[in-house]
Amino acid sequence: MPDPTFADPRLAVVYDAFEDPRRPDLDPYVARARVPGTRRVLDVGCGTGVLAAQLAGAGLQVTGADPAAASLDVARTRCDRVTWLHLAAADLPPIEADLAVMTGNVAQVFLTDDDLDAALAGVARAVRPGGRFVLEARRPQARAWETWEPVEEHRDVPGVGRVERAFALLDVAPPFVSFRQTFRLGGEVVTSDSTLRFRELDELEDALRRGGFSVDAVGQAPDRPGLEFVVDAVL
């Protein structure tokens, strides 16, 4: 089940207000999608649709899939040229995508190997033979959680008003790291607890191979050098 941050309608509508509006992390994926021969693109775990909308704006045929209906409701207001699917990755249909992407460390929400295998099987079903799949995940060696200090911040969100968000680590038991976000909005207090799994590169590569993919290259996020794996695979 998606975390309340994405699935609760009260939180989904304010999610983007706390993100960098420039979203430099998405630029490399837009560049990948502009490679000649790429027409159909699948955004797995598309959330509120920021990347999918950018890809559609580049003239591509785009499908965005996410299990959080509230996030998709936000995405639909962003762009009407994307096919939005309320589906988990494991349930993706065969859409013959030339390229599938899994950004935002979505790969880390699959806590068990079985869950990750099911998700990758769904992606493989959605991608055409010879199509590509790119995913990103934080490097365990970077120990990103050690930089996650307790934070309290606020934003003024149009149509909602002042929203306060507090972040705190709950538990660190590698490969699992849990944290809580607490939102105060409109007189309400809403919490969202999340757990991520930090997999080693060989674990990601093995899972991709089990899903039928061949790993072609491993790089890093240009705006976060040394912090993430960016794995490029072909079906």
Side-chain angles (χ1 to χ4, degrees):
M1 295 293 294
D3 297 334
T5 299
F6 309 104
D8 189 315
R10 295 168 295 180
L11 302 186
V13 296
V14 304
Y15 175 81
D16 291 316
F18 290 91
E19 295 294 309
D20 183 345
R22 298 168 299 173
R23 294 304 304 268
D25 58 307
L26 300 181
D27 294 343
Y29 296 97
V30 176
R32 276 180 168 87
R34 286 177 168 156
V35 172
T38 301
R39 293 183 300 114
R40 297 186 182 91
V41 183
L42 169 65
D43 185 1
V44 185
C46 64
T48 58
V50 175
L51 175 57
Q54 289 187 27
L55 295 170
L60 296 159
Q61 181 179 330
V62 183
T63 299
D66 202 284
S71 290
L72 287 177
D73 287 343
V74 176
R76 291 187 182 98
T77 68
R78 190 185 303 281
C79 183
D80 60 5
R81 289 175 291 169
V82 175
T83 299
W84 303 108
L85 299 179
H86 181 209
L87 290 173
D91 300 320
L92 286 165
I95 62 174
E96 295 290 301
D98 301 305
L99 171 68
V101 297
M102 186 182 282
T103 67
N105 299 293
V106 168
Q108 292 184 251
V109 306
F110 305 107
L111 302 184
T112 70
D113 290 341
D114 286 346
D115 286 344
L116 180 59
D117 285 352
L120 296 182
V123 176
R125 184 167 55 249
V127 174
R128 66 166 176 80
R132 307 194 72 85
F133 175 43
V134 183
L135 66 81
E136 67 180 33
R138 294 181 182 90
R139 296 173 181 257
Q141 298 87 347
R143 301 178 68 84
W145 57 85
E146 294 182 348
T147 68
W148 296 352
E149 300 290 340
V151 173
E152 294 186 12
E153 55 187 338
H154 74 273
R155 298 287 188 275
D156 292 318
V157 182
V160 177
R162 181 185 174 95
V163 179
E164 300 176 1
R165 180 177 74 165
F167 172 90
L169 277 174
L170 294 179
D171 187 52
V172 177
F176 303 104
V177 177
S178 300
F179 56 91
R180 171 173 293 164
Q181 297 181 85
T182 302
F183 295 83
R184 293 176 176 82
L185 66 170
E188 295 182 281
V189 176
V190 186
T191 62
S192 178
D193 292 351
S194 304
T195 299
L196 301 177
R197 178 169 174 176
F198 287 71
R199 287 181 171 87
E200 300 288 349
L201 179 58
D202 61 348
E203 294 179 282
L204 292 171
E205 292 178 328
D206 287 346
L208 285 163
R209 293 188 185 101
R210 290 195 299 272
F213 292 95
S214 298
V215 176
D216 188 44
V218 178
Q220 58 184 333
D223 62 317
R224 288 152 288 166
L227 299 182
E228 302 196 2
F229 302 120
V230 177
V231 185
D232 198 322
V234 62
L235 187 65

